[in-house]
Amino acid sequence: MLSLTDKPEENLEYQCKTYRLNLCFDNVLQFYKLMDDQDVSESNKILIAFEVFFDSDAVNYVLNNNDTELLVQGVEKVASYINESSYGASSGSGDVSARSFSYEQDAEAIYSSFMQQYHIDLINEQGNLHWDKFKALLHGLNDKTWFGQIIQIRETDVGQIEDIKQKQEIQQLQDYYALTDEASVRAQEQRNEAALDNMFNRFTRKAGE
């Protein structure tokens, strides 16, 4: 998670060696997308995820030495790190907003809101903006932005609205901005956690045979 005294995570220490990793926000989003890809096998997902985050030295070492321990440890560390939160045990623990948006479905709203509030072009920041910074800025988007307004609409309890016309308007907006099944960040995190646990267990058992 973001710290004002320490630099964002950029290395993995393994057997007295330091390997560079790139936790830019688009790599993390690519990882989330990879985990949901049903056309990629579990073993390939771990290798591809490792290649996404780590430099060529680490990737070549794993491939040349068939070092499954470094492979698994590296992906485990990244998966654990990107889900850390300053509030609660994980980014999805009790986090209402994590159930109210999707990185993919709300991509346009997130992009335009970063431009509106921060004057940051996320396309230009691909490969540069660290995940910790991206997440902090995302959570700081106010309700004047498109993204903030969408979150506010989704989280509004129409049962608490007495005005019939206003209630109908909010219900229409909620239908329009409704998340597709299992699209929310929280649902995605839960799928990833289950899939990673299953993959790591299988991968470890296979390596020990």
Side-chain angles (χ1 to χ4, degrees):
M1 71 185 75
L2 187 69
S3 170
L4 299 180
T5 56
D6 299 322
K7 291 183 178 181
E9 191 68 56
E10 295 178 336
N11 299 301
L12 171 69
E13 302 292 335
Y14 177 77
Q15 294 186 353
C16 300
K17 292 183 179 180
T18 301
Y19 294 99
R20 297 279 295 174
L21 67 154
N22 187 347
L23 286 172
C24 59
F25 79 96
D26 46 303
N27 278 358
V28 175
L29 299 184
Q30 184 179 343
F31 169 70
Y32 283 145
K33 189 174 181 179
L34 170 67
M35 295 306 299
D36 273 340
D37 192 337
Q38 300 300 315
D39 295 326
V40 181
S41 68
E42 291 182 344
S43 58
N44 281 340
K45 281 184 179 180
I46 294 182
L47 179 58
I48 294 171
F50 192 88
E51 292 174 337
V52 166
F53 292 113
F54 287 87
D55 64 12
S56 58
D57 288 341
V59 173
N60 290 335
Y61 180 84
V62 165
L63 295 177
N64 293 335
N65 295 277
N66 194 28
D67 193 334
T68 56
E69 185 178 351
L70 173 56
L71 184 66
V72 171
Q73 279 191 20
V75 178
E76 276 185 321
K77 177 177 180 177
V78 169
S80 176
Y81 184 84
I82 62 179
N83 286 329
E84 286 182 353
S85 172
S86 301
Y87 310 106
S90 71
S91 59
S93 180
D95 189 344
V96 177
S97 64
R99 301 193 296 272
S100 304
F101 79 96
S102 162
Y103 291 121
E104 288 217 26
Q105 194 171 336
D106 296 319
E108 288 187 1
I110 293 171
Y111 174 84
S112 70
S113 298
F114 266 66
M115 284 290 289
Q116 178 184 340
Q117 184 167 324
Y118 305 124
H119 306 293
I120 293 176
D121 187 324
L122 287 177
I123 302 301
N124 291 341
E125 287 297 324
Q126 290 179 354
N128 296 314
L129 183 63
H130 193 280
W131 172 248
D132 290 347
K133 297 179 181 179
F134 168 81
K135 193 162 61 169
L137 293 170
L138 178 70
H139 292 169
L141 290 172
N142 61 46
D143 58 10
K144 293 181 180 179
T145 63
W146 183 16
F147 178 76
Q149 290 170 0
I150 289 175
I151 297 297
Q152 195 172 52
I153 289 168
R154 288 175 181 160
E155 294 181 354
T156 296
D157 182 357
V158 293
Q160 300 298 316
I161 302 176
E162 296 182 359
D163 184 272
I164 296 177
K165 184 178 180 180
Q166 184 182 8
K167 179 182 291 189
Q168 290 176 338
E169 290 175 349
I170 295 298
Q171 286 177 327
Q172 289 176 349
L173 287 170
Q174 286 184 338
D175 290 340
Y176 181 77
Y177 286 114
L179 289 173
T180 55
D181 292 341
E182 298 299 304
S184 74
V185 170
R186 182 52 184 151
Q188 190 172 47
E189 286 178 345
Q190 291 175 330
R191 290 197 303 274
N192 288 353
E193 289 169 5
L196 284 168
D197 286 343
N198 187 48
M199 281 192 292
F200 291 147
N201 289 336
R202 290 189 183 185
F203 213 84
T204 301
R205 286 200 304 269
K206 187 176 181 179
E209 292 175 355

